[in-house]
Structures are given as structure tokens and as C-alpha cells.
């Protein structure tokens, strides 16, 4: 299983990537990054993700360290 990280996960393109990858059978969202929401759970920014994701926004270095592949979705 591929460990995927998403930088800019709180922007429109980033959260759509999160939604797609959470359903992908061969990928796991290992980490999500956000400068504006660092340290906050992703579901606080997007309440619709509350039941399907317990990811917390982190800095870019942490996302890269936890991931096999990183998607960059800058705002």
C-alpha cells in the first residue's frame, strides 16, 4: 500500500485529493499538510470528514517524512 501525503490539504484541490485517496484501495493517506491550520484536525476545517478521517494537519517536513509519495496542492 502506498503511503500518500498531501500538502495544501485544506484548499479546494487538496481536500478533493484527500477524498479521492481515502477511497483508493491501494493508497493510504499518511499525512496532510497545511500552513494555516497546522495542528488542527482536518475535520475541524471540513466537518464532512469527521466520520471518515482522523488526520491532523502538519508541517511540510512531517508530511514528507511519513509519505512514499507527496501531492502538492498549493492555494
Amino acid at each position: 500500500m502506498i503511503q500518500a501525503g498531501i500538502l495544501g490539504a485544506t484548499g479546494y484541490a487538496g481536500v478533493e485529493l484527500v477524498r479521492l485517496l481515502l477511497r483508493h484501495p491501494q493508497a493510504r493517506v499518511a499525512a496532510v499538510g497545511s500552513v494555516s491550520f497546522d495542528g488542527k484536525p482536518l475535520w475541524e476545517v471540513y466537518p464532512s470528514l469527521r466520520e471518515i478521517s482522523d488526520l491532523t494537519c502538519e508541517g511540510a517536513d512531517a508530511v514528507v517524512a511519513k509519505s512514499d509519495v507527496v501531492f502538492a496542492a498549493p492555494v
Side-chain angles (χ1 to χ4, degrees):
M1 183 161 302
I2 294 176
Q3 306 295 316
I6 302 163
L7 297 174
T10 56
Y12 179 77
V15 76
E16 289 305 314
L17 268 169
V18 170
R19 290 181 208 279
L20 288 169
L21 290 172
L22 284 173
R23 296 181 199 189
H24 196 287
Q26 296 178 348
R28 176 182 166 273
V29 180
V32 293
S34 174
V35 173
S36 302
F37 298 99
D38 190 14
K40 292 195 179 246
L42 188 58
W43 62 262
E44 281 190 14
V45 183
Y46 291 99
S48 63
L49 296 177
R50 182 180 204 134
E51 300 297 321
I52 59 173
S53 174
D54 62 350
L55 295 164
T56 298
C57 297
E58 304 180 69
D61 291 338
V63 173
V64 170
K66 294 179 180 180
S67 306
D68 297 326
V69 61
V70 176
F71 294 90
V75 179

